[in-house]
Amino acid sequence: QKEVEQDPGPLSVPEGAIVSLNCTYSNSAFQYFMWYRQYSRKGPELLMYTYSSGNKEDGRFTAQVDKSSKYISLFIRDSQPSDSATYLCAKGGGGNKLTFGTGTQLKVEL
Amino acid sequence: NAGVMQNPRHLVRRRGQEARLRCSPMKGHSHVYWYRQLPEEGLKFMVYLQKENIIDESGMPKERFSAEFPKEGPSILRIQQVVRGDSAAYFCASSPPAATSTDTQYFGPGTRLTVL
């Protein structure tokens, strides 16, 4: 079993839709969580970062963490074609290294 | 306000040659991390370095791979005697000097290595 599981997609939604991206993890040692966005052939770009259970909001993005069920989510409101990318969830807490999911490919269509 | 810089962006090597990948961290950052991304796979941690020290190399293959972060100059990931399975995107990330396990890491654009 992978430490971080993420549905690879692809996920295709119409412009303006609410997008829900999800990850599960198996190691309780993970203490903090991040979402990165990666455009094709580019480096990952940090979107959201959170320590604790609950919600964290930043503009159109909301990160949600449920430590009891080891489940994290990223919600994108009013999705735009420019949101089309691969979204990577990452976990930290085992030293300084991050453990990534495989990424979910999102396409927002006009 | 330059971010993490990596060069070259693309590198082509024949089997058996050496590959050298360079990473300059963000200004003010002294912690460097290397990750590898294989096709259809997520980013995998390789090594974590501070200036002149390797802190965690638990993700590095035992042979042919080495990394350094000298007092002056960029961090270098070196792959000797490359094989086709080394073809991947290699990303460098950096974090601030007082980095703890909770500090965020900022990534460079990556070096795409192709082994012929």
Side-chain angles (χ1 to χ4, degrees):
Chain A
Q1 182 185 12
K2 292 181 180 178
E3 287 192 75
V4 178
E5 299 273 3
Q6 189 174 6
D7 185 341
L11 178 63
S12 184
V13 302
E15 184 180 9
I18 296 174
V19 176
S20 172
L21 303 166
N22 307 297
C23 282
T24 58
Y25 62 96
S26 59
N27 186 340
S28 295
F30 291 124
Q31 297 298 319
Y32 61 104
F33 308 89
M34 301 172 185
W35 284 95
Y36 285 85
R37 177 174 63 195
Q38 186 176 23
Y39 291 111
S40 180
R41 308 190 72 76
K42 302 289 186 182
E45 170 194 1
L46 180 65
L47 280 179
M48 300 284 286
Y49 171 92
T50 182
Y51 282 101
S52 55
S53 285
N55 293 355
K56 182 177 180 180
E57 191 173 317
D58 184 1
R60 295 186 296 112
F61 299 92
T62 300
Q64 186 177 81
V65 176
D66 183 345
K67 288 189 176 183
S68 62
S69 57
K70 299 191 178 82
Y71 197 86
I72 73 167
S73 300
L74 178 71
F75 299 97
I76 307 174
R77 291 184 299 281
D78 188 25
S79 55
Q80 305 294 311
S82 58
D83 294 328
S84 298
T86 297
Y87 289 80
L88 305 167
C89 61
K91 317 298 190 305
N96 284 65
K97 62 186 176 187
L98 299 179
T99 301
F100 283 86
T102 53
T104 298
Q105 186 179 352
L106 171 67
K107 184 174 183 181
V108 180
E109 298 180 334
L110 289 168
Chain B
N1 184 19
V4 178
M5 299 176 69
Q6 291 187 249
N7 68 82
R9 296 291 305 278
H10 301 275
L11 183 61
V12 179
R13 286 288 178 267
R14 297 190 180 279
R15 281 179 296 169
Q17 291 184 319
E18 178 179 287
R20 282 187 178 231
L21 288 62
R22 294 174 184 76
C23 169
S24 296
M26 285 179 69
K27 187 176 181 180
H29 286 191
S30 58
H31 295 220
V32 165
Y33 313 81
W34 286 93
Y35 292 80
R36 176 166 62 176
Q37 188 174 40
L38 292 165
E40 309 304 324
E41 293 189 21
L43 287 153
K44 304 290 186 188
F45 169 81
M46 299 181 75
V47 62
Y48 162 39
L49 310 103
Q50 297 176 19
K51 285 283 188 182
E52 300 184 280
N53 286 302
I54 296 174
I55 307 302
D56 181 354
E57 58 181 347
S58 59
M60 287 280 270
K62 299 300 181 189
E63 298 177 349
R64 303 187 297 107
F65 285 71
S66 62
E68 63 177 8
F69 189 15
K71 187 176 180 180
E72 301 291 337
S75 175
I76 298 192
L77 179 67
R78 181 183 179 203
I79 312 172
Q80 295 178 291
Q81 299 172 4
V82 296
V83 301
R84 288 208 174 117
D86 297 332
S87 296
Y90 292 83
F91 291 96
C92 171
S94 73
S95 60
T100 66
S101 62
T102 57
D103 279 308
T104 54
Q105 297 176 19
Y106 297 89
F107 282 80
T111 294
R112 280 158 183 82
L113 172 65
T114 301
V115 179
L116 301 176

